[in-house]
Amino acid sequence: MARWVADRSALNETLAQLRELPRLALDTEFERIRTYWPKLALVQAMLADGVALIDPLAFAELNDLGEALVGRAQTWLMHSPSEDLVALGPLLPQPPAALIDTQLAAALAGLGSGLGYQKLVALVLGVELAKTETRSDWMRRPLSAQQLDYAAEDVVHLDALGNALLDRLDALDRRDWILQEGHRTLQAAFTPAQPGNLHHDYRSACKLDLDAQRRLDAILRWREQVARETDRPKPWVIDNQVAHDLAAKPPQQASELQRALQAQRAFPRARAGELLELLGAPPMHADFQPAPKPFTRDEETRLERLKTGIEALAAELGLEPALLAPRKAQEARLRSGRWPAEMPAWRRERLAPIADHALG
């Protein structure tokens, strides 16, 4: 049974129950189409006597909800929660103690990567869920009966799903793996992002000269700051191609810059002079690093050996290779001699001999 929570009395009763649970089955609905920050529209939590559908739009502040969600060193049980964690972040005094992601748990159990919630519930529990509200407007009020049913279904099966997946992981001696993965996800969600060297994400950045790379880095740092301040998606402020073009060939006059930005729907026109000045003299950031150069033929050969070794290990473990080490992590290991710091220990331990053999 689902309970709509939109007044202080119902919320207080819900919070009391949340504080007593050692593990919380949670989900959220949010909007992030026109904003930088997700707008929390609904919080679904499984209680002992049914689902609580908490309406964050009905309350001026929800700090007490955040405190209840992380009380008693609770473990959160969620499905593919990265964006949900960002949406919930402003409510929380600290991250939860632990996280179990059922999508990753399924992958670690050998069921396949990237499985959606409906598909996974059907596969593991044999329960078919409706998919009618996947593109719903969750900010409108009142929510329809169909929306409420859909929202409740997102958590009502989570406990049974989580238990079934943990049983599979226990049989494989992999429960610690999912806890390590949860720790990594929580760190990524609650550690402030480093805004520097975003130009490394552009494959073509290495073809720019060093001055152009500094301009691109400066544009991307500035875009990140403006998007956060104005709460608009980064591509709406300046899209990736325009950022690259401005760095490669910076305009000399304000009129040139305005023409280049005329299609950017959320660019703050009043700050055009600020961007023009930035392009003319990009800051010399101490953490700036030139974009990595393309790999040599020898390096590509070594990467291919690493990929082959990872594929063999993945087949032995019954996992998909990208779960062990995506291409970006493989490249980082070759360039720096180390796996990315955020890679969980269970992966690094198993990949170490493979990398040592393949890369030397």
Side-chain angles (χ1 to χ4, degrees), residues 2-6 28-31 39-44 52-58 133 135-152 154:
R3 176 195 314 163
W4 182 248
V5 180
T28 73
E29 306 297 342
F30 55 87
E31 182 197 88
K39 304 297 183 186
L40 190 62
L42 193 65
V43 178
Q44 303 103 286
L53 302 177
I54 304 168
D55 180 12
L57 306 185
E133 301 297 330
R135 296 187 179 275
S136 195
D137 179 3
W138 294 101
M139 299 297 288
R140 77 178 182 187
R141 293 294 183 271
L143 296 177
S144 69
Q146 291 80 8
Q147 285 176 302
L148 296 176
D149 287 344
Y150 176 89
D154 274 352

Side-chain angles (χ1 to χ4, degrees), residues 262-277:
Q262 60 186 354
Q264 311 303 292
R265 51 178 152 173
F267 180 81
R269 307 297 168 187
R271 299 179 69 169
E274 185 181 326
L275 179 58
L276 188 65
E277 181 179 345

Side-chain angles (χ1 to χ4, degrees), residues 139-343:
M139 299 297 288
R140 77 178 182 187
R141 293 294 183 271
L143 296 177
S144 69
Q146 291 80 8
Q147 285 176 302
L148 296 176
D149 287 344
Y150 176 89
E153 290 279 15
D154 274 352
V155 292
V156 76
H157 301 288
L158 259 178
D159 275 317
L161 179 62
N163 289 336
L165 292 172
L166 287 173
D167 285 345
R168 290 175 183 244
L169 292 176
D170 284 341
L172 295 166
D173 197 23
R174 295 179 183 178
R175 181 182 285 240
D176 188 54
W177 295 9
I178 192 59
L179 294 176
Q180 289 184 35
E181 294 291 341
H183 179 70
R184 175 186 62 84
T185 300
L186 290 173
Q187 279 195 315
F190 295 103
T191 302
Q194 299 300 316
N197 295 307
L198 299 176
H199 62 298
H200 288 193
D201 292 334
Y202 288 65
R203 285 287 182 181
S204 60
C206 64
K207 298 178 182 178
L208 299 172
D209 63 39
L210 198 57
D211 287 341
Q213 289 189 38
R214 288 191 181 279
R215 286 192 292 269
L216 181 56
D217 178 58
I219 293 169
L220 297 176
R221 292 176 193 249
W222 185 86
R223 180 181 73 169
E224 182 77 22
Q225 176 185 341
V226 170
R228 289 173 179 236
E229 291 173 357
T230 61
D231 196 20
R232 288 292 181 265
K234 289 184 289 186
W236 287 23
V237 178
I238 304 175
D239 73 34
N240 288 345
Q241 188 59 56
V242 170
H244 181 277
D245 293 345
L246 289 174
K249 190 177 179 181
Q252 303 302 309
Q253 303 293 331
S255 57
E256 292 179 67
L257 179 60
Q258 292 287 4
R259 283 194 298 273
L261 296 170
Q262 60 186 354
Q264 311 303 292
R265 51 178 152 173
F267 180 81
R269 307 297 168 187
R271 299 179 69 169
E274 185 181 326
L275 179 58
L276 188 65
E277 181 179 345
L278 190 72
L279 290 168
M284 302 292 286
H285 293 289
D287 62 342
F288 172 83
Q289 294 290 333
K293 296 183 180 299
F295 291 112
T296 65
R297 183 176 297 180
D298 175 65
E299 287 171 329
E300 288 287 0
T301 299
R302 294 161 69 196
L303 272 176
E304 190 60 32
R305 288 201 302 265
L306 178 59
K307 176 186 173 185
T308 300
I310 290 171
E311 288 174 345
L313 175 61
E316 179 184 332
L317 296 173
L319 304 176
E320 296 185 14
L323 181 60
L324 284 172
R327 172 76 181 192
K328 195 170 183 178
Q330 296 176 40
E331 293 179 356
R333 173 62 178 81
L334 175 60
R335 291 189 191 280
S336 69
R338 300 183 304 276
W339 292 107
E342 65 272 15
M343 179 178 279

